[in-house]
Amino acid sequence: MLTSDEPQRLDKRIFATLFLAIFSCVTGVGIVVPLLPVYANNLGASGLYVGLIFGAFSFSRSVFMPYFGRMSDKKGRKPLIVIGLFCYVLISIAFMGFEDVNALIVLRFIQGIASAMIMPVTQAYVGDITPVGDEGFSMGLFNMSMFMGLSIGPLLGGFISEQFSLAAAFGCMGGMALVGCILGLFLLPPTRMERVVIQGKKPLEWKDLLTDRDILILSVFRFAYTTCIGILWGFLPVYADSQFSLPPSKIGILLMLGVFTSGLIHIPMGAVADRCNKFMLVTIGGLIVVYAVMSFQWATGFQDLFIANVLFGIGGGISMPALMALVIIAGNRTHAMGSVMALLTTAHSLGMLSGSLLAGLIMDISELRFAFAWGAAIMGLGVLLFCSGTLYNNLAKRRATTSGNAHPTAS
């Protein structure tokens, strides 16, 4: 690792280790999560209980991410990553041993805590080793580990469940998490050699982070974007089946399209973000997402849904690498990379939860297609607030430059 006064270069070994560890973990989770509703239903779970099984994960993850992000800023990244991955192994074993709905809710709650140890801390570690000027490319490349896992996992899960058993799928999740744990344990350098520990700088206090305008506008945009994802992932299958009677194979294609398209352009758009105006890219991508989500309400068949999904993936692929590059810049500025990543990931988790709950409520009291209009409105508001905050910061920087003072929240 680098000492605090050496020029920073991307440590390829650490990056590759984090990439493979997260890919293994996310693939394992992707194998199981699509099968959980069927498994819970076979155990006699009602719709409410199925919702609690998924909600317990989002709730515990949202609560504990700020805590673990902050801890990683003070104590280092490696211990939390390794412990979180090992907890995933234990949870996988527990899934195979319990056949009770209430136990599933508890296990998903614990799994959310383990996820809170892994995701924001791993992203913070990538931010630590990213050279200045390469933030977009590094995060775009790293996010491929999650997109690949989310794409491959469900396909493997269906195959393993059909050819073997659901228990085999749980075992596979545990095995993948174990691979990630071993990689992290033996290939990541000792905690004392991590950049965040070597520098020893005090992270910005929570009250300052929570009132930092840059971090707030980034979190709002992330929340709005993932609210749309929550609507699509949770209720697009229901919409496609009830409105257009699409077969499961075509519904599966639709669910994969957005993730695949977004992942495909993350790396090139990350490189573009390092050379272009990041705020402009976030805004353009956000506007494409607004149009894409609204297009679902206007759809008349599979072709329209196909195009809307591709557009949604393109919008996310343009905006997210630039957004995460800005997050890394904010993390370096505040010396609180773990805390900042935790806040963004918490916004992500809350957005997913809010989107699914909003769509479910609309489906119960009105027509499901109106959920997409609401999603587009929320995304549009997110883009508007992002642009307003950016404009305010630019004006504030100009005033500060005129008066000879540095703006405290400038990125």
Side-chain angles (χ1 to χ4, degrees), residues 65 219-220 222-223 226 342-352:
M65 273 191 294
S219 300
V220 167
R222 185 69 175 264
F223 173 84
T226 52
L343 288 175
L344 264 290
T345 313
T346 299
H348 178 107
S349 185
L350 291 175
M352 292 282 287

Side-chain angles (χ1 to χ4, degrees), residues 71-398:
M71 181 184 292
S72 75
D73 286 332
K74 295 181 176 180
K75 305 296 184 180
R77 320 288 191 203
K78 179 177 178 176
L80 289 172
I81 295 172
V82 173
I83 292 172
L85 288 168
F86 185 69
C87 288
Y88 261 71
V89 178
L90 298 180
I91 291 166
S92 302
I93 296 172
F95 269 124
M96 291 188 287
F98 288 97
E99 295 186 354
D100 177 75
V101 175
N102 293 317
L104 289 181
I105 295 174
V106 173
L107 288 175
R108 287 285 288 171
F109 183 89
I110 298 172
Q111 190 177 32
I113 298 175
S115 178
M117 294 183 187
I118 299 169
M119 295 309 301
V121 178
T122 306
Q123 290 176 320
Y125 208 148
V126 173
D128 290 339
I129 64 174
T130 296
V132 174
D134 288 340
E135 297 90 356
F137 178 78
S138 293
M139 287 308 300
L141 180 59
F142 179 72
N143 285 341
M144 283 297 296
S145 63
M146 289 178 277
F147 284 112
M148 290 168 60
L150 288 172
S151 300
I152 296 172
L155 298 177
L156 282 176
F159 174 78
I160 293 171
S161 180
E162 289 180 6
Q163 297 298 319
F164 301 98
S165 65
L166 189 61
F170 287 132
C172 190
M173 178 175 75
M176 298 292 283
L178 182 61
V179 170
C181 181
I182 292 172
L183 288 171
L185 182 63
F186 291 103
L187 296 183
L188 291 178
T191 306
R192 66 179 184 277
M193 297 177 66
E194 292 180 19
R195 180 170 177 259
V196 66
V197 175
I198 291 174
Q199 288 186 329
K201 294 182 179 179
K202 185 178 179 181
L204 203 65
E205 296 296 331
W206 273 121
K207 61 182 179 65
D208 297 317
L209 288 176
L210 294 173
T211 56
D212 186 294
R213 190 174 293 271
D214 286 349
I215 297 172
L216 283 176
I217 63 174
L218 295 173
S219 300
V220 167
F221 188 95
R222 185 69 175 264
F223 173 84
Y225 174 67
T226 52
T227 296
C228 295
I229 295 179
I231 293 172
L232 295 182
W233 286 11
F235 289 89
L236 180 58
V238 179
Y239 184 62
D241 176 62
S242 62
Q243 295 294 315
F244 308 109
S245 301
L246 295 183
S249 59
K250 287 191 174 182
I251 293 176
I253 291 173
L254 291 175
L255 290 176
M256 294 292 296
L257 268 177
V259 174
F260 178 78
T261 305
S262 184
L264 197 63
I265 63 175
H266 248 65
I267 295 177
M269 288 310 304
V272 170
D274 291 331
R275 291 159 178 80
C276 297
N277 188 307
K278 298 176 180 62
F279 294 99
M280 179 185 68
L281 290 174
V282 173
T283 303
I284 292 173
L287 291 174
I288 294 174
V289 169
V290 172
Y291 179 80
V293 176
M294 197 67 193
S295 296
F296 285 100
Q297 182 179 350
W298 304 329
T300 59
F302 176 76
Q303 183 176 349
D304 291 339
L305 294 176
F306 185 98
I307 294 172
N309 266 290
V310 171
L311 285 174
F312 185 83
I314 291 173
I318 292 174
S319 61
M320 284 300 108
L323 185 86
M324 294 308 296
L326 291 171
V327 173
I328 290 179
I329 293 170
N332 283 325
R333 173 173 56 79
T334 59
H335 307 298
M337 188 75 73
S339 301
V340 173
M341 286 292 182
L343 288 175
L344 264 290
T345 313
T346 299
H348 178 107
S349 185
L350 291 175
M352 292 282 287
L353 180 61
S354 299
S356 60
L357 291 176
L358 174 65
L361 178 63
I362 292 173
M363 186 177 71
D364 287 341
I365 66 176
S366 182
E367 296 181 41
L368 179 56
R369 63 189 179 91
F370 292 130
F372 302 109
W374 275 97
I378 292 171
M379 188 67 219
L381 181 61
V383 173
L384 179 62
L385 291 174
F386 177 83
C387 292
S388 300
T390 302
L391 179 62
Y392 175 89
N393 281 353
N394 289 337
L395 292 174
K397 284 196 289 185
R398 289 176 186 174

